[in-house]
Amino acid sequence: MKRKILVTGGTGYIGSHTSVELINEGFEVVIIDNLYNSEAEVTDRIQQITGTKPSLEIIDICDKAKLEKFFEKNGDISAIIHFAAYKAVSESVSKPLDYYNNNLVSLINLLDLMKRFNVPDIVFSSSCTVYGQPEKLPVTEDAPLQPATSPYGNTKQVGEEIIRDATFAHKSIKAIALRYFNPIGAHPSGLIGELPRGVPENLVPFITQTAYGLRDELKVFGNDYDTPDGSCIRDYLHVVDLAKAHVVAVKRLLEGKSKKDFEVFNLGTGNGVTVLEAISSFERVSGIKLKFRITDRRPGDIEKIWADPSFANKELGWKTKSTLDEAMKTAWEWEKSIRTKKV
């Protein structure tokens, strides 16, 4: 019998790619999503890729009563991958209470119902923002967590603390937190990818929308950072590589191979790339010269961060395979696909 995995936020960017990889590995996927930043039709696209349509329950997991009814109907969930959260750094600075309410209440509800309904394992979608501005680079999992530079980052720090305390108090629960660096790109099928509503907060969708003519210009937030070209440095990894890490993490939990009740892993390439270098990569693969303008620094942004992924490479047997150029190419193909075919 197939193991059933609950994917919260499964119609979103990373959640949809992870759902594809789970189905490809023989799992049954059930998605909970409130469609705050995604569309129900994503499940049809997942079916086009995999041949299997995951079930979708439209629920806000901050609504505990509705979430409880879901668990009552689905008593055979083997594990949870928890993506559902607000995720825009700069928006969190202006709407901190929204972020604390949505990101933390939802997690607490899940953990409580896991305990009550005997669901043993959870993979938590965390972030490199928990490191703040690191003192040393590249960042290992042992790096001290710095004060968060945004409410979003703080919700990930506090979220990890909540999970750690829950696994300590309730030995029936095991957890893995995956600290992502910067996911970019899209599925090579061109059927799923990043599709933010309104003005994109992340760099790559803004790049592709500008290239397609939907935006007049790209803004580069700051050129006076202590980096080779003055722009921020990030570690960009292909979303399909990231999705596959979740499958590995779920299997580790289900097979009882985790070495602690709560484990954390950095997911990145190990390479730091400036914003201007990322722009150059896109121009190289697309053949399009981008119009961009340097503007003021953005609140909540850190100067530079990239991963030391060697622990995840060794313990999980996972590593990124796609290059920056390959990721940019899939992002561009996705942008053209959604604009021309109305996927």
Side-chain angles (χ1 to χ4, degrees):
M1 191 176 79
K2 288 184 177 182
R3 295 283 195 106
K4 182 186 285 187
I5 309 298
L6 168 59
V7 182
T8 71
T11 60
Y13 176 42
I14 304 171
S16 61
H17 286 81
T18 300
S19 295
V20 164
E21 298 304 323
L22 286 167
I23 293 169
N24 285 342
E25 287 292 314
F27 291 100
E28 179 183 350
V29 173
V30 56
I31 292 171
I32 287 180
D33 207 304
N34 66 359
L35 306 181
Y36 170 78
N37 196 32
S38 60
E39 307 290 343
E41 291 80 6
V42 168
T43 58
D44 296 324
R45 303 175 205 163
I46 292 171
Q47 183 178 24
Q48 285 181 260
I49 297 168
T50 65
T52 300
K53 185 173 182 176
S55 64
L56 170 64
E57 297 277 350
I58 301 173
I59 298 172
D60 186 331
I61 55 177
C62 289
D63 187 333
K64 193 171 184 180
K66 288 184 179 177
L67 188 61
E68 185 173 0
K69 288 180 181 177
F70 169 85
F71 275 89
E72 287 171 353
K73 289 192 302 180
N74 294 270
D76 57 345
I77 294 169
S78 295
I80 297 170
I81 303 180
H82 180 42
F83 293 106
Y86 295 162
K87 64 181 183 67
V89 169
S90 60
E91 182 185 60
S92 77
V93 174
S94 60
K95 298 179 178 179
L97 298 182
D98 289 355
Y99 272 68
Y100 287 121
N101 181 69
N102 184 75
N103 292 7
L104 298 180
V105 171
S106 59
L107 175 61
I108 292 167
N109 285 347
L110 271 179
L111 290 167
D112 186 47
L113 291 170
M114 284 178 68
K115 177 166 58 81
R116 287 169 53 190
F117 289 90
N118 299 311
V119 179
D121 300 319
I122 185 168
V123 175
F124 178 59
S125 169
S126 193
S127 167
C128 66
T129 55
V130 300
Y131 296 115
Q133 178 57 66
E135 294 173 355
K136 294 181 180 179
L137 290 167
V139 185
T140 70
E141 290 83 353
D142 295 326
L145 304 190
Q146 302 293 335
T149 59
S150 70
Y152 165 74
N154 204 26
T155 66
K156 294 302 183 182
Q157 282 191 3
V158 175
E160 287 193 12
E161 290 169 5
I162 290 169
I163 294 171
R164 185 177 290 108
D165 290 344
T167 58
F168 179 80
H170 308 292
K171 295 303 181 183
S172 61
I173 298 176
K174 301 287 188 291
I176 290 176
L178 299 178
R179 293 173 176 169
Y180 314 160
F181 281 67
N182 291 72
I184 62 170
H187 194 270
S189 66
L191 289 167
I192 56 173
E194 189 170 10
L195 187 60
R197 289 181 175 166
V199 179
E201 290 279 348
N202 294 338
L203 174 65
V204 174
F206 216 117
I207 285 176
T208 58
Q209 288 187 16
T210 303
Y212 199 77
L214 299 176
R215 307 284 166 195
D216 292 335
E217 63 180 5
L218 173 68
K219 293 179 181 177
V220 175
F221 297 104
N223 67 342
D224 57 351
Y225 288 102
D226 181 20
T227 63
D229 60 25
S231 64
C232 290
I233 291 178
R234 298 291 183 267
D235 186 340
Y236 298 101
L237 73 158
H238 198 296
V239 67
V240 173
D241 286 335
L242 177 60
K244 289 179 177 178
H246 292 78
V247 179
V248 175
V250 161
K251 287 182 175 180
R252 182 179 177 88
L253 289 168
L254 293 175
E255 294 168 5
K257 292 182 178 177
S258 50
K259 296 180 179 176
K260 294 188 291 184
D261 291 342
F262 179 55
E263 296 182 306
V264 298
F265 296 96
N266 286 343
L267 299 182
T269 67
N271 297 313
V273 175
T274 70
V275 171
L276 294 179
E277 287 171 338
I279 290 171
S280 294
S281 170
F282 177 82
E283 291 179 336
R284 188 161 54 244
V285 300
S286 68
I288 294 171
K289 188 72 176 173
L290 284 171
K291 181 181 179 183
F292 67 88
R293 175 169 59 90
I294 306 296
T295 185
D296 293 337
R297 292 185 180 192
R298 186 168 57 174
D301 275 348
I302 61 171
E303 182 170 82
K304 49 191 170 184
I305 188 167
W306 64 93
D308 178 347
S310 57
F311 184 57
N313 297 162
K314 175 175 173 286
E315 279 293 313
L316 298 179
W318 167 93
K319 64 171 54 179
T320 58
K321 295 180 178 178
S322 296
T323 65
L324 177 63
D325 281 8
E326 288 167 344
M328 285 291 186
K329 188 174 188 301
T330 59
W332 180 227
E333 293 303 318
W334 161 246
E335 185 70 50
K336 290 187 291 184
S337 170
I338 57 175
R339 304 304 168 192
T340 58
K341 297 178 185 176
K342 304 296 183 187
V343 170

